Amino acid sequence: MWEHFAHQSDIGIRAQADSLGGAFEDAAVGLTAIVTDPSAVIPAQSVNIECLGEDEEDLFFKWMSKIIFEMDVRKMLFSKYEVKIDSLKLSAVAWGEKVNFGRHSPAVESKAVTLNQLCVKNENGKWICQCVIDV
């Protein structure tokens, strides 16, 4: 489950799930939703993503940064993610397709993840992660 929250001229993403990997997956869908409706993105092509973190917040920052990088370099949007986290090492597969300007109607570009309001925590058995995206 993810949601956007207002943040001056940028956009915040908050996700919650039973597992840390699930929260990261949901936040990634929220990232796509900044650009377009994720349900309009066909999961036709997969991209492997890996990163290491010093702690959960650092890992989340690097995860979201890697997705923005892959979206920009590959000119793709992603609608489905599978994340595995083991001892602050993340291995993931993102599924999506090349941007189709007619079908996706991209609203804005996600430029970068910021450290502003960056948070990863476990509350009452639920993992919650949030960040602000510079758009």
Side-chain angles (χ1 to χ4, degrees), residues 37-59:
D37 178 357
S39 69
V41 179
I42 299 168
Q45 183 179 345
S46 66
V47 174
N48 293 323
I49 299 173
E50 293 187 349
C51 52
L52 293 169
E54 296 178 12
D55 55 34
E56 284 93 1
E57 288 182 352
D58 183 53
L59 186 62

Side-chain angles (χ1 to χ4, degrees), residues 21-112:
F24 279 33
E25 290 169 359
D26 289 351
V29 174
L31 177 61
T32 298
I34 290 174
V35 180
T36 192
D37 178 357
S39 69
V41 179
I42 299 168
Q45 183 179 345
S46 66
V47 174
N48 293 323
I49 299 173
E50 293 187 349
C51 52
L52 293 169
E54 296 178 12
D55 55 34
E56 284 93 1
E57 288 182 352
D58 183 53
L59 186 62
F60 182 57
F61 180 87
K62 289 177 179 171
W63 162 239
M64 298 297 274
S65 296
K66 288 257 188 176
I67 296 169
I68 292 171
F69 173 80
E70 295 294 341
M71 290 167 87
D72 187 44
V73 169
R74 297 176 187 270
K75 310 296 183 212
M76 289 182 69
L77 293 168
F78 302 103
S79 59
K80 181 181 170 189
Y81 301 88
E82 183 179 307
V83 173
K84 294 179 183 170
I85 299 172
D86 183 24
S87 300
L88 300 176
K89 179 182 178 188
L90 181 147
S91 302
V93 181
W95 286 273
E97 64 175 323
K98 294 281 187 189
V99 175
N100 178 321
F101 287 93
R103 190 160 38 85
H104 297 134
S105 302
V108 296
E109 178 183 359
S110 300
K111 296 178 187 171

Side-chain angles (χ1 to χ4, degrees), residues 109-126:
E109 178 183 359
S110 300
K111 296 178 187 171
V113 183
T114 73
L115 294 173
N116 193 336
Q117 298 188 26
L118 181 70
C119 173
V120 176
K121 61 186 175 184
N122 188 307
E123 257 182 24
N124 302 320
K126 295 280 188 185

